[in-house]
Amino acid sequence: MAGNWKMNLNHQEAVVLVQKLAWTLSDKKHDYGQVEVVVAPPYVDLRSVQTLVDGDRLRIGYSAQDVSAHESGAYTGEVSAAMLAKLGCDYVVVGHSERREMHGEDDAVVNTKALRTLAAGMTPIVCVGEGLEVRKAGRHVEHTLDQVDGSLAGIDPEQVASLVIAYEPVWAIGTGEVATPDDAQEVCAAIRGRVRDTVGADAAESVRLLYGGSVKSSNVVGIMDQPDVDGALVGGASLDPAEFAAICRYYALPALSLLLILLVLLHKGRGGGLSDMFGGGMSSGLGGSSVAERNLDRITIGAGVLWFACVVGLGLLLRAGS
Ligand code: PGA
């Protein structure tokens, strides 16, 4: 899971966010082996993040948001791959749609940046994805695969295997519009297929594919459920440490829901009557709250209090036992 902060947070705010994120994740015993956690702060924050991560031996990785296409020299305002490697960056985002759109970066530039990143020993997160017009015309797969071909040109098969490719439909970035899990799966499967055809089955198996575009804790589970989606590139929601931690811990969310449902069923006895409990069923409760409200009698309120006590009690027991 990678959090792209874009042009937000100064170096002091960056330290605060990474600390909060690390605390939240360690508090919840996050399994870093299962889900890698990466933040992508602005350039000027990287040294502070490096100091914090090294000093506190945090398992959070960090990425730059861009890199120069040039090696070194008279390129005012640019930052080289060697400089980012020296700051301990694990990753570099290249070809983000905001760079492609606002700075005219084409696939050739993105490809050069990816090659520079790899040469400096870091991993590029190569961003691809279609705009609204292309999506409406139904050419999103073809368009995205063209970007994949152009951005990955000349990269060694072993290096392609280690890459991260982020599919970010431009119409879903920062708009609140989220592609459906099926949309994400359709394009990610096509990208994996293209890597298989052009580079080989091993590279297709190990390349990591992220989905990006309005990912939140409320929609991440469905997206991560897709067989060809390996992670997410998160923008706005990564600026809130609790929210980003919840996204990183998406694997725990279904378990929590299951636990709550089990508690409801246990309370009700012999596993029946969930709909009675909510006075006429979950769906009527969602569709027309007045029906649910009418049926929300004292028993339900008492049951709710009991479930809450059970959850808190269980949490305390688990904490005491660990
Ligand atoms: P968003 O941004 O999550 O705010 O839509 C994603 C991105 O641009 O990487």
Side-chain angles (χ1 to χ4, degrees), residues 131-314:
L132 191 56
E133 289 307 307
V134 175
R135 162 69 55 166
K136 278 185 178 157
R139 292 193 301 104
H140 47 286
V141 171
E142 175 195 338
H143 174 91
T144 305
L145 294 184
D146 280 350
Q147 287 184 328
V148 170
D149 291 343
S151 307
L152 269 49
I155 300 181
D156 290 344
E158 310 84 67
Q159 289 184 319
V160 173
S162 73
L163 281 186
V164 179
I165 302 174
Y167 168 59
E168 299 205 302
V170 181
W171 48 271
I173 295 181
T175 57
E177 278 297 322
V178 61
T180 65
D182 287 346
D183 291 336
Q185 169 58 20
E186 180 195 22
V187 183
C188 285
I191 295 173
R192 205 181 292 283
R194 178 58 63 97
V195 172
R196 188 176 300 116
D197 295 346
T198 54
V199 186
D202 289 349
E205 193 59 38
S206 31
V207 68
R208 286 173 292 169
L209 304 183
L210 311 184
Y211 166 78
S214 301
V215 172
K216 301 182 201 62
S217 60
S218 55
N219 58 29
V220 67
V221 175
I223 289 165
M224 290 305 297
D225 225 19
Q226 303 306 309
D228 286 298
V229 179
D230 303 315
L233 181 54
V234 184
S238 70
L239 296 172
D240 174 347
E243 173 67 3
F244 188 51
I247 292 171
C248 295
R249 292 181 44 72
Y250 72 91
Y251 57 88
L253 294 173
L256 184 64
S257 312
L258 199 65
L259 175 69
L260 287 170
I261 289 169
L262 278 174
L263 286 171
V264 171
L265 293 174
L266 274 176
H267 174 83
K268 192 67 182 155
R270 290 187 302 282
L274 184 62
S275 62
D276 296 346
M277 210 64 183
F278 285 86
M282 296 288 278
S283 54
S284 69
L286 288 173
S289 60
S290 60
V291 180
E293 274 163 22
R294 248 184 289 136
N295 294 324
L296 195 68
D297 59 20
R298 286 161 123 179
I299 296 171
T300 312
I301 294 169
V305 172
L306 189 62
W307 302 330
F308 182 70
C310 283
V311 172
V312 172
L314 199 66

